């Protein structure tokens, strides 16, 4: 009968373990996929930021080129106006040069034809006095200087005209060249901007697809968790039924054993009596007694009280993990849960309290979802810190742990155990 009870218990344990392990494994795989998807989404968003920054830089460069083009157009307009004014100045200079040329040529002809050189000499010789001669020499010198200045001015005006023409032509050529270059750069930048816009659209599409995949995985995870919880409920009911059957079998076995036990009687001799001197016939007496013996009695084994449960998703996921590792489930403790909630509320700055490292009954997680997500994060030590490197996993799989409570506040989850 005991072998039968043991067989029932083994079958029950195998059924529970065979159901929980695949679901836990599936949940762990889903968590890894979600984590990988988060990394991919993060990388795509960084890439998206980089592309957006490049587009912004190109837009600034295009704007700068546009402003520079406007400036060049203004310079071109001003140079064109200067060129028109220069043409007028050149025309006026040409008139003056032509007049000077005509005067110089006329003066030269007078010297040749009329003997102006002899007249100048006669003018000096016919002076009435030395003072008059000096005055006439000064007058002649002034006339000669004026003629020389006229010739010099003629040369300077011609050189100025050529210089202005050259400067304006050079400036106009430079403006035209710069304008053409700016147009080419603008076309290249616009084309590059178009390529970046296409790349940005592709990255946004990839990001959207990755986020959609993540949403799908989260939905699958939720469905798996629901299935896990439903199976756990079924397994608990099955365990209750098996336990009840085992208890009934033990009670039946005890009753049968008691009914089959027999009573054995044993006789023990009494002490012999002495002779009586006052009588001639001594009397001898024997005493006899019956002793009843019974077999050892057995008490029915009381059923084990099941642990206190809770609908808390993290609590359920923890017991599933412990069951998958062959450990006993833990009970829900409302007092520990209240203490954990208060503890979580004090960590809204996402800083681990200094006294946390001196206690072994507490686990903390930042920015993880309740349920299987945080349980597997502790189990895998994902983004966790502990002196041993496996402190969170050791806490979850502590065989001596019997009671737990979890608290939540913002993005903080705290677990306390006893």
């Amino acid at each position: 009968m005991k072998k039968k009870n043991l067989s029932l218990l083994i079958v029950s344990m195998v059924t529970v373990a065979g159901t929980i392990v695949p679901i836990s494994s599936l949940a762990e795989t889903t968590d890894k996929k979600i984590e990988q998807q988060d990394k991919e989404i993060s990388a795509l968003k960084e890439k998206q930021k980089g592309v957006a920054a490049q587009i912004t830089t190109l837009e600034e460069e295009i704007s700068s080129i546009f402003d520079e083009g406007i400036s060049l157009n203004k310079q071109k307009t001003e140079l064109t106006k200067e060129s028109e004014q220069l043409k007028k100045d050149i025309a006026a200079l040409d008139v003056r040069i032509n007049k000077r040329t005509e005067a110089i040529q006329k003066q030269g002809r007078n010297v040749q034809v009329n003997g102006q050189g002899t007249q100048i000499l006669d003018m000096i010789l016919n002076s009435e006095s030395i003072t008059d001669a000096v005055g006439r020499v000064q007058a002649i010198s002034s006339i000669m200087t004026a003629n020389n200045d006229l010739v010099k001015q003629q040369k300077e005006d011609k050189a100025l005209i050529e210089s202005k023409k050259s400067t304006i032509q050079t400036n106009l050529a430079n403006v035209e060249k710069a304008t053409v270059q700016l147009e080419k750069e603008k076309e290249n930048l616009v084309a590059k901007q178009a390529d970046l816009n296409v790349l940005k659209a592709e990255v946004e599409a990839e990001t959207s697809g990755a986020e959609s995949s993540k949403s799908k995985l989260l939905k699958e995870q939720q469905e798996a968790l629901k299935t896990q919880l439903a199976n756990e409920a079924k397994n608990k009911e099955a365990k209750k039924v098996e336990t009840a059957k085992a208890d009934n079998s033990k009670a039946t076995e005890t009753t049968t054993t008691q009914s089959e036990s027999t009573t054995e009687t044993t006789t023990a001799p009494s002490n012999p009596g002495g002779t009586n001197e006052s009588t001639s016939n001594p009397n001898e007496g024997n005493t006899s007694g019956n002793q009843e013996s019974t077999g050892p009695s057995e008490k029915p084994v009381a059923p084990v009280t099941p642990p206190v449960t809770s609908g808390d998703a993290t609590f359920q996921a923890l017991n599933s993990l412990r069951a998958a590792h062959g450990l006993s489930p833990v009970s829900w403790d409302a007092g520990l849960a209240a203490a954990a909630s208060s503890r979580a509320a004090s960590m809204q700055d996402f800083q681990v309290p200094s006294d946390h490292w001196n206690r072994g009954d507490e686990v903390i997680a930042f920015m993880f979802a309740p349920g299987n997500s945080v349980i597997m994060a502790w189990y895998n030590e994902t983004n966790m810190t502990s002196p041993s490197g496996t402190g969170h996993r050791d806490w979850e799989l502590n065989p001596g742990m019997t009671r737990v409570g979890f608290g939540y506040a913002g993005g903080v989850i705290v677990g306390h155990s006893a």
Side-chain angles (χ1 to χ4, degrees):
M1 186 64 70
K2 291 182 179 180
K3 290 183 178 180
K4 182 179 179 182
N5 294 336
L6 181 60
S7 299
L8 290 173
L9 182 59
I10 292 174
V11 170
S12 176
M13 291 176 64
V14 170
T15 303
V16 173
T19 306
I20 293 176
V21 172
I23 295 175
S24 299
S25 177
L26 176 61
E28 182 178 352
T29 303
T30 304
D31 284 338
K32 289 182 178 179
K33 288 182 179 179
I34 292 173
E35 183 180 355
Q36 183 64 32
Q37 208 69 26
D38 284 335
K39 291 180 180 179
E40 183 178 349
I41 291 172
S42 178
L44 286 171
K45 286 185 176 179
E46 288 298 323
K47 185 177 180 181
Q48 193 173 1
K49 289 180 181 178
V51 173
Q54 292 182 49
I55 291 175
T56 301
T57 301
L58 283 176
E59 289 175 347
E60 291 176 354
E61 291 181 6
I62 292 172
S63 177
S64 176
I65 288 176
F66 181 77
D67 293 339
E68 191 172 350
I70 292 176
S71 177
L72 285 173
N73 285 331
K74 288 182 179 179
Q75 291 182 28
K76 186 177 180 180
T77 301
E78 291 175 358
L79 287 172
T80 302
K81 289 181 180 179
E82 289 180 8
S83 178
E84 294 297 329
Q85 183 62 41
L86 183 59
K87 288 179 181 179
K88 294 179 181 179
D89 294 343
I90 290 172
L93 285 173
D94 283 338
V95 171
R96 290 201 299 270
I97 288 171
N98 290 334
K99 288 182 178 180
R100 291 194 196 105
T101 301
E102 184 178 352
I104 292 171
Q105 289 175 352
K106 184 177 180 181
Q107 187 176 8
R109 285 194 298 270
N110 288 334
V111 171
Q112 292 176 357
V113 175
N114 299 325
Q116 188 175 4
T118 303
Q119 291 177 357
I120 293 172
L121 183 59
D122 290 340
M123 186 184 300
I124 295 172
L125 293 175
N126 293 329
S127 299
E128 295 178 355
S129 63
I130 295 175
T131 302
D132 185 28
V134 172
R136 291 183 180 188
V137 169
Q138 289 178 347
I140 293 170
S141 176
S142 298
I143 293 171
M144 296 299 294
T145 300
N147 289 337
N148 290 333
D149 290 341
L150 185 65
V151 173
K152 183 180 179 181
Q153 186 65 41
Q154 186 84 341
K155 291 179 180 179
E156 289 178 354
D157 287 345
K158 287 183 178 180
L160 180 60
I161 288 173
E162 294 299 326
S163 175
K164 286 187 175 183
K165 283 183 178 179
S166 177
T167 300
I168 289 179
Q169 289 175 356
T170 301
N171 290 340
L172 285 173
N174 290 336
V175 169
E176 289 294 337
K177 184 177 179 181
T179 302
V180 172
Q181 182 64 28
L182 283 175
E183 286 298 325
K184 289 182 179 179
E185 290 182 7
K186 184 178 179 181
E187 290 176 0
N188 292 335
L189 289 175
V190 169
K192 192 173 181 180
Q193 184 186 26
D195 293 338
L196 285 174
N197 284 330
V198 172
L199 179 60
K200 181 181 179 182
E202 292 176 352
V203 173
E204 288 176 349
E206 291 179 12
T207 304
S208 177
E211 289 177 345
S212 177
S213 298
K214 179 184 175 181
S215 298
K216 184 178 179 181
L217 287 172
L218 288 172
K219 186 176 181 181
E220 291 177 359
Q221 185 186 46
Q222 292 175 356
E223 293 297 328
L225 184 58
K226 289 180 181 179
T227 303
Q228 179 179 347
L229 294 176
N231 287 336
E232 286 179 2
K234 291 180 181 179
N235 291 331
K236 287 179 181 178
E237 290 298 326
K239 286 178 68 177
K240 288 181 180 179
V241 172
E242 295 298 334
T243 302
K245 288 182 179 179
D247 292 341
N248 291 334
S249 298
K250 288 181 180 180
T252 302
E253 181 182 1
T254 301
T255 303
T256 303
T257 302
Q258 289 178 348
S259 63
E260 291 177 353
S261 63
T262 58
T263 303
E264 296 181 358
T265 304
T266 59
T267 303
S270 62
N271 292 328
T275 58
N276 192 351
E277 295 180 352
S278 61
T279 59
S280 60
N281 294 322
N283 293 324
E284 294 180 357
N286 293 329
T287 61
S288 65
N290 294 328
Q291 184 177 1
E292 183 178 348
S293 62
T294 61
S297 62
E298 294 183 3
K299 292 183 179 180
V301 179
V304 178
T305 303
V308 179
T309 61
S310 169
D312 184 87
T314 309
F315 172 77
Q316 297 288 347
L318 173 62
N319 273 338
S320 296
L321 178 66
R322 289 175 65 85
H325 285 79
L327 297 173
S328 300
V330 293
S331 299
W332 177 262
D333 190 305
L336 292 176
S341 296
S342 176
R343 185 78 160 172
S346 68
M347 284 184 272
Q348 293 307 293
D349 57 351
F350 297 104
Q351 297 295 323
V352 178
S354 58
D355 63 339
H356 167 74
W357 309 107
N358 298 325
R359 49 190 301 178
D361 62 343
E362 181 181 72
V363 287
I364 301 171
F366 296 144
M367 305 307 293
F368 280 95
N372 194 66
S373 177
V374 69
I375 289 298
M376 296 313 299
W378 282 329
Y379 181 79
N380 295 317
E381 297 291 339
T382 304
N383 297 331
M384 300 293 171
T385 302
S386 66
S388 64
T390 59
H392 301 84
R393 182 186 304 174
D394 296 340
W395 182 88
E396 291 179 320
L397 302 181
N398 181 4
M401 184 168 64
T402 59
R403 294 178 290 117
V404 297
F406 293 100
Y408 310 90
V412 182
I413 301 177
V414 176
H416 281 178
S417 64

